[in-house]
Amino acid sequence: DINISMINSRKISVKALVNLTCTTWEEYEEEITAGMDEKENLPALYKELQVAEYKMGKKDTLRVRVAFRLPASRPNVSQILYYDMEPQNVEKIPQNGQIFVRGDLQIFVVYRPLEEDRIYIYEGAQEFSGTIACEECREDRKLQMHTDTISCDLQLKPDEDGEDRELEAELVLGCSIHLYEQKKHRCLVDAYSLEKKLDLQKKNMEYRCVVYENAFEKRIAEQIPVEPEGKNLSQICFCKGKVFLDEIRFQEKEGKIEGNIEVRILYREEKEGKIGTMLVNLPFEQSFPYYGLQAKQMSYEISPRLEKISVNQVGTETLELRTVLHMNLIIFANRECELVAQIEEKEYEKEMLEKMPDMVGYVVQQEDTLWDLAKHFLTTENAIMSLNEKKGKELQKGEKLLIPVGSEE
């Protein structure tokens, strides 16, 4: 939200609203019990967790230098009055030990030529590429990288004939990099012994896993009226857009991303050839599948960008704006799991063992599992399955079982 006005012939006033978003990251390591000594009469229950391990987060920069040459139909440059540059079609590819970045650098230049009292406009695009060192980076890891322009500079350079016809563009991109790896971990969640009483000390572990990842492409074509009304345009000189995300709403079966595209248009008037600007705001929304998680059970990262933005005249009072909106979205589920941290062995009470029957009949309840029954009656899952001639571990409510007590046979 920038406003610039003249105070006098030597001074201007610049007023702007600056929005700051602050995010803190805490990196920590969590120890998990992945197994224990395999012994007879010592059943163990494991759970496989899908964990999005946070491998790295850092800020870095990428410096891009690209040379442009004026076409033969354009006169030599005497003075650069205004320029703008924007990276387009940017790809960020994780490789072993580095991130490979490539795209197109588009420039817009307003300049005054030699020996002519008029203004010329030049637009051009050139491919660029570069790498960012990243020791933790690998091709199979998930990269979330957001880029912003930190600075840009355009210098006039003489060509091989000594004429001022080459433009050297330098762009510095600020890169916010986060790297994840989705890994499977086998964790010990329960255990018991037929010979010893095990006192299990458990702990609650919080972790994240990737449940949704997608790259959206939304094509936008809108007709907009020329403002102010009655102004006739002879040429659209330049346009530049930016994406603002307003809200992400989660409904029963889908999520919706809502936002606004702000486009600034530079044009030339028909009568006197004056340069003017116009600001256009276009609201948008994008839907995506939603898995029914509560807001507290999830977190997300989203990176929007605009590409192929263009504005054309449709008659004298209407403009047609076209662009492609890209959004990379990752949704994490915030989950918890109770894990075994330590095990202490104790002797069973002799009186308790003597009172135990050799076998019991049992009617399966709603929440029962074969593991819970085997642990409660100090036997094994295989013993129950063998005695009842079961081929699988699934239980049905009301099912009748014979359970050998205090034995694996």
Side-chain angles (χ1 to χ4, degrees):
D1 193 7
I2 302 174
N3 293 294
I4 302 175
S5 59
M6 289 187 62
I7 297 175
N8 54 48
S9 61
R10 298 180 59 84
K11 189 181 293 185
I12 61 173
S13 171
V14 181
K15 295 181 179 180
L17 178 65
V18 179
N19 295 318
L20 301 178
T21 301
C22 300
T23 305
T24 61
W25 287 84
E26 181 183 2
E27 185 176 348
Y28 66 94
E29 294 183 353
E30 185 80 53
E31 288 187 350
I32 60 175
T33 304
M36 61 182 186
D37 294 338
E38 298 294 336
K39 296 180 181 179
E40 293 184 6
N41 301 331
L42 188 61
L45 180 64
Y46 294 93
K47 185 175 182 179
E48 192 174 78
L49 304 181
Q50 291 274 3
V51 180
E53 292 188 6
Y54 185 66
K55 290 298 181 181
M56 186 210 64
K58 72 169 186 174
K59 303 282 188 179
D60 210 326
T61 58
L62 177 66
R63 191 176 297 271
V64 176
R65 287 190 178 92
V66 180
F68 295 81
R69 174 173 292 190
L70 294 179
S73 59
R74 298 295 178 90
N76 293 356
V77 179
S78 172
Q79 181 185 8
I80 297 175
L81 302 176
Y82 174 83
Y83 66 85
D84 190 278
M85 60 185 71
E86 187 77 20
Q88 293 285 316
N89 308 318
V90 179
E91 294 182 78
K92 305 125 181 180
I93 304 170
Q95 298 177 340
N96 292 333
Q98 66 179 18
I99 301 170
F100 179 69
V101 183
R102 66 186 175 196
D104 301 319
L105 183 61
Q106 295 184 345
I107 66 168
F108 170 79
V109 184
V110 180
Y111 73 93
R112 194 186 303 278
L114 290 171
E115 300 176 356
E116 284 188 61
D117 188 19
R118 57 177 295 186
I119 291 175
Y120 278 82
I121 292 174
Y122 168 74
E123 291 182 85
Q126 293 278 7
E127 294 181 354
F128 72 87
S129 63
T131 59
I132 299 173
C134 182
E135 293 183 3
E136 295 288 340
C137 197
R138 292 206 314 248
E139 293 179 1
D140 59 341
R141 289 180 172 171
K142 298 182 183 297
L143 173 66
Q144 192 74 350
M145 177 173 163
H146 180 69
T147 57
D148 279 314
T149 299
I150 295 178
S151 65
C152 59
D153 184 54
L154 188 69
Q155 296 292 329
L156 182 62
K157 300 287 184 179
D159 60 11
E160 61 272 12
D161 297 325
E163 297 183 341
D164 292 334
R165 301 187 59 81
E166 286 196 358
L167 301 170
E168 185 177 88
E170 181 179 80
L171 179 74
V172 179
L173 291 176
C175 306
S176 176
I177 303 169
H178 296 286
L179 199 63
Y180 303 91
E181 183 175 7
Q182 186 91 332
K183 294 182 70 174
K184 294 180 180 179
H185 290 282
R186 193 184 78 151
C187 306
L188 181 65
V189 295
D190 203 2
Y192 65 95
S193 172
L194 304 184
E195 300 174 352
K196 301 281 188 178
K197 182 179 179 181
L198 301 185
D199 185 8
L200 304 182
Q201 296 181 21
K202 295 188 176 183
K203 68 174 182 178
N204 196 52
M205 186 184 80
E206 297 179 352
Y207 66 98
R208 298 200 304 172
C209 65
V210 177
V211 294
Y212 183 79
E213 181 179 12
N214 203 353
F216 306 107
E217 182 179 286
K218 186 178 182 67
R219 297 184 178 274
I220 296 173
E222 293 283 344
Q223 291 196 352
I224 52 179
V226 174
E227 295 180 357
E229 188 176 351
K231 187 179 290 293
N232 294 324
L233 311 184
S234 65
Q235 181 185 1
I236 302 298
C237 303
F238 178 65
C239 60
K240 185 175 183 178
K242 191 173 182 179
V243 184
F244 297 91
L245 297 179
D246 297 331
E247 185 182 12
I248 298 184
R249 295 189 288 110
F250 298 96
Q251 300 172 344
E252 185 177 352
K253 294 183 179 180
E254 68 175 10
K256 283 191 177 181
I257 303 170
E258 297 180 351
N260 181 64
I261 299 173
E262 182 183 274
V263 181
R264 292 187 178 273
I265 303 170
L266 185 70
Y267 61 83
R268 193 194 299 269
E269 294 183 21
E270 187 175 44
K271 290 184 179 180
E272 301 178 3
K274 293 181 179 180
I275 298 294
T277 61
M278 187 169 69
L279 180 65
V280 177
N281 287 286
L282 297 177
F284 71 88
E285 68 175 29
Q286 174 70 48
S287 301
F288 58 89
Y290 178 51
Y291 295 93
L293 295 171
Q294 299 285 333
K296 295 180 180 179
Q297 298 174 320
M298 58 170 291
S299 56
Y300 57 84
E301 294 181 10
I302 182 168
S303 299
R305 71 180 190 276
L306 287 177
E307 292 183 358
K308 301 177 182 178
I309 183 169
S310 65
V311 177
N312 297 299
Q313 287 183 259
V314 182
T316 58
E317 299 180 352
T318 307
L319 301 176
E320 184 180 58
L321 187 150
R322 291 179 177 270
T323 187
V324 180
L325 172 62
H326 292 267
M327 289 182 286
N328 294 321
L329 175 64
I330 296 182
I331 296 180
F332 300 90
N334 302 324
R335 292 178 175 167
E336 296 181 356
C337 184
E338 192 176 50
L339 308 177
V340 175
Q342 291 183 352
I343 300 176
E344 183 181 350
E345 290 186 353
K346 295 180 181 179
E347 296 292 336
Y348 279 117
E349 295 179 5
K350 187 177 180 179
E351 292 181 2
M352 183 198 76
L353 296 176
E354 290 175 349
K355 292 180 180 179
M356 292 173 60
D358 293 332
M359 187 176 296
V360 298
Y362 185 81
V363 179
V364 175
Q365 304 302 307
Q366 180 69 43
E367 302 297 327
D368 285 339
T369 67
L370 197 62
W371 170 268
D372 293 334
L373 296 180
K375 181 179 180 181
H376 179 75
F377 291 105
L378 292 180
T379 184
T380 64
E381 293 175 304
N382 289 336
I384 300 175
M385 292 170 62
S386 176
L387 184 60
N388 293 273
E389 298 181 348
K390 288 179 65 65
K391 295 181 179 180
K393 295 183 179 182
E394 293 77 16
L395 299 178
Q396 301 295 328
K397 181 182 178 181
E399 183 179 354
K400 296 178 181 179
L401 299 174
L402 288 176
I403 301 178
V405 180
S407 172
E408 63 174 341
E409 298 180 359

